[in-house]
Amino acid sequence: MGGVVSGILIVSAVIAVGYLAARLRILGPEVQGALTRTAFYITNPALLYTVVAGSDIRAALGTDAPLALLSAAAVGLLYWLLSFLFFRRPAAETAVGAMASSYANANNIGIPVSLYAVGTAQHVAPVLLVQLLVLAPFYLTLLGVFSGARISWKKMLLQPLSNPMIIASALGVVVALTGWQEPDLLQKPIDMLAGGAVPMVLLAFGLSLAGRAPLQKDDGRTETLVATFLKIAGMPAIVWLLGRFVFGLEGQHLLASVIMAALPTAQNVFLFASPYGRGMTVARDVILCTTILCVGALLVVAWAAG
């Protein structure tokens, strides 16, 4: 699984740069907030727009997209149930935990892993689209609503219209469906900004790791461990069951779907939580734990399929 290892090493190297920059006091604590705000309002919307605009929306609505959506919904609902019964955390923190347990790093790690394991990255696009167009707007809306003092239907309906990443994704859908070709004077600046999105998020995540050691008792350790287990073990199992017995998948197609489910939690979960200041520690720790454990999980999936 050379593609698995190399993808994780690349991501880990950039995170380590951010961590060392904080530990060596090259960058102060205020930089993390500046990076996350820049990524949230500028570079990540540019990246989401380019990804969605260049995707085949209609092709993604086949088997892979419904499977990705159903499995993410099942895992998220399971986390919500566990939180209601045992953790009893506020709704905003619960939303972050549910997202961390079901939102995969399909872009940074999923593409090289899919190429190596099954010889194509075509199964990555439907997962990305479901996450960008359904999961991200849904959880961002919940975070926006539950982080405020008052919840109303008007606020819930208007919340997506004020989020730059949701707006960018919606514009990408329009471009993808209409086939409109942007002029270079518009597209090239967007591409330049999009190129800074991933390293900026990874650096901000690395900076956050220098603050406190992960899995502290008062920092949602139980929630972190539960979300980590659901992401690394629960979601692949649910995808296998749904793919095999509901969608009738077999062979490489089923393997690719399970591999996508076994990917670690995306750094975007931390990015989404940061502007609201809710569940950031759990998001950070789940990303770290799942990134470390996903190599073993992917090796188990590959071994079981072989």
Side-chain angles (χ1 to χ4, degrees):
M1 293 290 287
V4 178
V5 177
S6 62
I8 293 175
L9 286 178
I10 291 170
V11 170
S12 300
V14 181
I15 293 174
V17 170
Y19 175 78
L20 290 174
R23 296 292 295 179
L24 298 175
R25 301 183 186 277
I26 298 173
L27 299 176
E30 73 282 353
V31 176
Q32 178 195 336
L35 285 176
T36 54
R37 287 193 299 273
T38 304
F40 188 87
Y41 288 103
I42 300 175
T43 58
N44 241 55
L47 177 61
L48 298 187
Y49 171 80
T50 57
V51 169
V52 176
S55 301
D56 188 343
I57 302 293
R58 295 179 178 87
L61 298 179
T63 302
D64 291 340
L67 177 57
L69 180 59
L70 285 175
S71 59
V75 174
L77 286 172
L78 181 57
Y79 184 91
W80 276 91
L81 178 61
L82 293 173
S83 178
F84 176 77
L85 294 176
F86 302 107
F87 312 149
R88 299 190 180 278
R89 301 290 294 164
E93 280 79 356
T94 301
V96 173
M99 191 177 191
S101 67
S102 58
Y103 202 102
N105 193 336
N107 190 26
N108 298 333
I109 298 178
I111 291 175
V113 167
S114 182
L115 284 171
Y116 181 84
V118 296
T120 177
Q122 68 179 11
H123 302 288
V124 176
V127 176
L128 278 174
L129 289 174
V130 166
Q131 293 184 162
L132 297 178
L133 302 180
V134 181
L135 298 184
F138 175 73
Y139 282 113
L140 285 169
T141 299
L142 290 183
L143 278 171
V145 171
F146 291 126
S147 295
R150 182 182 177 184
I151 299 175
S152 67
W153 281 107
K154 181 179 178 181
K155 186 174 183 180
M156 183 176 292
L157 292 173
L158 293 178
Q159 181 66 32
L161 301 179
S162 64
N163 188 287
M165 285 186 280
I166 297 176
I167 295 171
S169 299
L171 290 175
V173 171
V174 173
V175 172
L177 292 176
T178 60
W180 180 64
Q181 294 294 321
E182 309 92 326
D184 285 346
L185 286 177
L186 175 62
Q187 185 60 46
K188 288 189 179 297
I190 295 176
D191 291 339
M192 290 180 66
L193 291 171
V198 172
M200 194 168 292
V201 172
L202 295 178
L203 283 173
F205 180 65
L207 289 169
S208 74
L209 296 177
R212 296 186 64 180
L215 297 177
Q216 296 294 307
K217 185 176 182 181
D218 296 331
D219 284 342
R221 181 167 61 187
T222 302
E223 296 97 302
T224 297
L225 293 175
V226 169
T228 298
F229 176 80
L230 289 175
K231 183 68 200 70
I232 291 297
M235 194 167 184
I238 290 174
V239 166
W240 185 85
L241 289 171
L242 289 175
R244 181 69 179 86
F245 298 106
V246 176
F247 292 93
L249 301 183
E250 296 179 345
Q252 293 291 87
H253 196 166
L254 181 60
L255 171 63
S257 298
V258 177
I259 285 175
M260 290 296 102
L263 293 171
T265 300
Q267 284 80 17
N268 275 351
V269 176
F270 178 79
L271 174 66
F272 295 156
S274 296
Y276 303 99
R278 309 297 289 271
M280 293 173 60
T281 301
V282 170
R284 180 200 67 183
D285 290 355
V286 173
I287 294 167
L288 179 63
C289 292
T290 55
T291 300
I292 293 172
L293 295 174
C294 81
V295 174
L298 290 169
L299 290 174
V300 169
V301 170
W303 171 80

